[in-house]
Amino acid sequence: MAGGSHCCYQWHKQKLEGQDTKGTQFLEGGSDMGRRRGMMSESLKYELAKELGFYPTLMREGWGGITTRDAGNMVKRAIEIAEESLANRNNGSVR
C-alpha cells in the first residue's frame, strides 16, 4: 500500500487484533478527538443494504464481505436521507 493508506491499514489491523494503538491517535482525528462510532443505527444500515441491493451478501458474508463501493454508496445514501430530513425540518419551521 502506498503512503498513508498502509499506516491506516496497520492501525485497523492492530485494532482488529486487539493490539494497542496508542501513538497512532493522529488516525483518530487528533489527540482531542476520538473516532465517531455509531453515527448510523444498525437498523438503518440494514435498511440501506436492502435498498442498495447488497443485503444478501451482507447476510451471507457479514460487513467484511461488502465492497468498498457498496459501503460508499451506503454512506452517500445516508447523507442524502439526513439532508432531506434536515431540509424538511427547516422548511416546516420557516414562516
Side-chain angles (χ1 to χ4, degrees):
M1 293 185 192
S5 61
H6 176 70
C7 191
C8 289
Y9 168 78
Q10 281 299 115
W11 183 85
H12 285 287
K13 185 174 182 239
Q14 288 174 339
K15 198 79 161 167
L16 286 172
E17 293 172 351
Q19 296 177 14
D20 184 16
T21 56
K22 289 181 182 164
T24 57
Q25 58 196 13
F26 64 92
L27 295 171
E28 298 185 53
S31 59
D32 295 335
M33 293 176 50
R35 289 184 56 162
R36 291 185 178 192
R37 293 189 176 265
M39 296 303 289
M40 264 194 279
S41 70
E42 286 298 309
S43 61
L44 176 60
K45 291 177 190 177
Y46 285 99
E47 182 182 323
L48 293 174
K50 289 175 186 176
E51 179 181 325
L52 297 171
F54 62 88
Y55 184 76
T57 301
L58 176 60
M59 292 293 91
R60 199 172 46 251
E61 302 176 32
W63 289 108
I66 69 170
T67 65
T68 304
R69 176 173 279 162
D70 287 337
N73 287 337
M74 184 175 68
V75 171
K76 181 179 177 183
R77 182 65 183 124
I79 291 170
E80 289 170 353
I81 291 169
E83 288 174 341
E84 290 167 5
S85 176
L86 186 59
N88 290 337
R89 188 177 347 161
N90 288 339
N91 287 338
S93 65
V94 176
R95 296 179 191 247

